[in-house]
Amino acid sequence: MKHQTISTEMDGDPRLPTAAPELTVVLPAYNEAENIPVIVDKIGEALGGVAHEIIVVDDDSPDGTAEVTRSVARTRPHVRCIRRVGRRGLSGACLEGMMAANAPVVVVMDADMQHDETRLPVMLGQIADGADLVIGSRYVEGKKAGGGFHKKSRAKGSELATSLANMITGRYTTDPMSGFFMMRRDVADMVAGTVSREGFKILFDIVSRYGSELDIREVPFEFRERVAGESKLGFLVTVQFLGLLVSRFTGGLIPAQFLLFALVGSSGLLVHLAALYLANSALGIGFVLSQILATYMAMTTNFAFNNEVTFGHRKLTGKRFWAGLLTFYAVCSIGAIGNVAFSERMFEFGAPVWIAGLSGALMSALFNFAVTKLVTWRDA
Ligand code: GDD
Ligand code: MN
């Protein structure tokens, strides 16, 4: 066949690299321009003779991470960049990098040198020994996470999240939220279809869904300080993670996104009451008008929070922010009418006041969630 001839010809081409990669290193990167050239060299040193390729998955970082990666690649052809446009999110980036890997083994690590690349050969050894998944753990063997946790609170929070995660995955791993993990390429293919592309806890997702089928090993490492740039995982990510945990706890019955939406909705209640009080009691505006003002005030803050947290991966900015706000008002206004109608019906059928009220609120929350997800935050 024609294409076989081509491949034999290419085998003899001295311009081509001689060895196919044994390992693909996936580096999700957002604003890591300064770190890329350094980490590429460090990985090379750590891997010694192991043929490898490095895939930087950039989400169109404004600091030029993609350009820097391409310029590194000009002298080091084992490096390449996937530049994703109009998308954000760590899990999705990791998954896309793993799917683009050519080697039979893939590893994901931070691009900021917080993960110890000198552990790579040890992790590879575990795979060779039969492991399906090897987790770089910040805690194994009584080792405390290193200086990488700036704040005590973050270290504590991380410990708590680890225990919760273990409860839910039903499997004891010392660091189920690590961002440093290696697996066989076929394992990555197996999990790819079901693992969530939203959020950032891809390893947790894999362990919680496939933990019982996989041979999982752990390799300790010292979590180092970030060299340049700043962490992208802040408070929002913690809130998103709690949503994910509860969702898993209910066996996926309640989607994490809806929980966040409902949580934001409850915060809206506080805004509503505060605005109502301010307008009516402090400014002396009539009750009905105050109530309407308070309603839209709460809708506005709900929209802003949902845009950051619940739909942070599809965050609307610029003009689309304002257009989104208008559709959000429209949908929630319909939801509010539905809420009143539904609770009234329940009440007529003899439901106690609080059940009627609560079920009306729940119905409208479900409606608002489903419709704004489709309309306001639809995939562009
Ligand atoms: N492409 C892409 N898109 N990359 C991203 C995004 C994104 O939206 N968000 C973060 N990254 C990249 C960062 O550039 C970095 O290389 C890596 O993903 C991890 O992000 P950091 O911002 O460095 O996270 P961290 O060091 O605070 O968090 C650590 O702990 C987490 C668990 O608690 C890391 O070890 C994480 O990997 C880990 O999940
Ligand atoms: Mn990091």
Side-chain angles (χ1 to χ4, degrees), residues 28 30 32 57 59 88-89 110-112 114-115 226 231-232:
Y30 192 77
E32 305 285 4
V57 189
D59 283 353
R88 265 305 295 277
D110 279 14
D112 56 11
Q114 287 198 276
H115 295 156
R226 200 172 229 288
S231 169
K232 281 99 214 165

Side-chain angles (χ1 to χ4, degrees), residues 12 54 62 73 75-76 80 87 137 194 197 212 288:
I54 298 178
T75 50
R76 297 168 186 78
R80 75 194 137 105
R87 269 180 291 172
S137 168
T194 40
R197 274 165 289 285
S212 55
V288 175

Side-chain angles (χ1 to χ4, degrees), residues 242-272:
L242 287 178
L244 185 67
L245 285 182
V246 178
S247 166
R248 269 305 133 69
F249 209 56
T250 59
L253 200 66
I254 308 176
Q257 245 186 347
F258 176 68
L259 281 170
L260 295 176
F261 193 84
L263 195 71
V264 169
S266 331
S267 80
L269 192 65
L270 297 179
V271 173
H272 185 114

Side-chain angles (χ1 to χ4, degrees), residues 27 37 53 63 69 93 122 157 218 225 245 347 361 373:
L27 302 176
E53 60 172 0
D63 78 340
T69 307
V122 182
E218 302 189 310
E225 296 253 8
L245 285 182
F347 188 65
K373 186 178 156 93

Side-chain angles (χ1 to χ4, degrees), residues 35-359:
N35 293 322
I36 300 294
V38 188
I39 196 166
V40 163
D41 285 343
K42 287 200 176 242
I43 292 170
E45 268 165 46
L47 283 172
V50 179
H52 63 282
E53 60 172 0
I54 298 178
I55 304 179
V56 174
V57 189
D58 161 63
D59 283 353
D60 208 13
S61 312
D63 78 340
T65 299
E67 287 83 350
V68 168
T69 307
R70 281 196 295 268
S71 78
V72 169
R74 277 195 274 281
T75 50
R76 297 168 186 78
H78 68 293
V79 176
R80 75 194 137 105
C81 179
I82 296 178
R83 178 181 168 207
R84 310 195 307 163
V85 178
R87 269 180 291 172
R88 265 305 295 277
L90 186 48
S91 287
C94 294
L95 200 65
E96 230 156 288
M98 296 196 296
M99 293 302 97
N102 284 329
V105 182
V106 288
V107 65
V108 173
M109 59 196 290
D110 279 14
D112 56 11
M113 262 103 43
Q114 287 198 276
H115 295 156
D116 184 357
E117 69 288 339
T118 66
R119 306 305 281 168
L120 289 173
V122 182
M123 293 165 90
L124 266 175
Q126 292 290 338
I127 296 274
D129 189 50
D132 297 310
L133 172 66
V134 184
I135 303 176
S137 168
R138 295 168 287 186
Y139 308 105
V140 96
E141 284 170 11
K143 209 177 218 172
K144 279 281 161 203
F149 288 113
H150 271 295
K151 295 188 204 128
K152 259 223 174 93
S153 62
R154 170 127 191 225
K156 273 268 165 271
S158 180
E159 268 170 44
L160 179 70
T162 301
S163 336
L164 280 172
N166 282 327
M167 248 166 67
I168 285 160
T169 61
R171 180 164 177 134
Y172 188 73
T173 43
T174 54
D175 199 358
M177 262 98 50
S178 176
F180 187 22
F181 52 91
M182 183 182 282
M183 67 186 88
R184 282 201 321 275
R185 172 61 208 262
D186 60 302
V187 175
D189 283 320
M190 176 181 88
V191 302
T194 40
V195 152
S196 165
R197 274 165 289 285
E198 286 162 13
F200 68 104
K201 295 300 182 194
I202 185 168
L203 179 65
F204 168 79
D205 226 25
I206 296 173
V207 174
S208 66
R209 283 170 204 256
Y210 298 94
S212 55
E213 304 165 36
L214 299 174
D215 177 345
I216 303 177
R217 318 258 177 103
E218 302 189 310
V219 166
F221 78 97
E222 189 108 25
F223 191 47
R224 296 186 295 223
E225 296 253 8
R226 200 172 229 288
V227 174
E230 55 189 43
S231 169
K232 281 99 214 165
L233 308 185
F235 173 69
L236 290 183
V237 157
T238 316
V239 177
Q240 286 172 341
F241 182 59
L242 287 178
L244 185 67
L245 285 182
V246 178
S247 166
R248 269 305 133 69
F249 209 56
T250 59
L253 200 66
I254 308 176
Q257 245 186 347
F258 176 68
L259 281 170
L260 295 176
F261 193 84
L263 195 71
V264 169
S266 331
S267 80
L269 192 65
L270 297 179
V271 173
H272 185 114
L273 292 177
L276 182 63
Y277 174 79
L278 192 76
N280 187 241
S281 306
L283 300 176
I285 301 174
F287 180 78
V288 175
L289 187 59
S290 296
Q291 174 75 350
I292 294 173
L293 281 174
T295 305
Y296 281 89
M297 187 71 197
M299 278 188 204
T300 310
T301 53
N302 281 359
F303 172 75
F305 283 141
N306 279 320
N307 194 42
E308 288 291 333
V309 185
T310 320
F311 297 103
H313 58 291
R314 288 187 196 165
K315 189 167 161 179
L316 304 171
T317 51
K319 256 197 209 141
R320 297 182 58 223
F321 180 91
W322 299 108
L325 180 61
L326 290 182
T327 61
F328 190 79
Y329 282 156
V331 174
C332 295
S333 303
I334 300 172
I337 296 170
N339 176 355
V340 175
F342 188 85
S343 51
E344 199 182 5
R345 201 43 75 78
M346 291 283 287
F347 188 65
E348 276 170 15
F349 279 116
V353 173
W354 68 274
I355 289 193
L358 204 66
S359 53

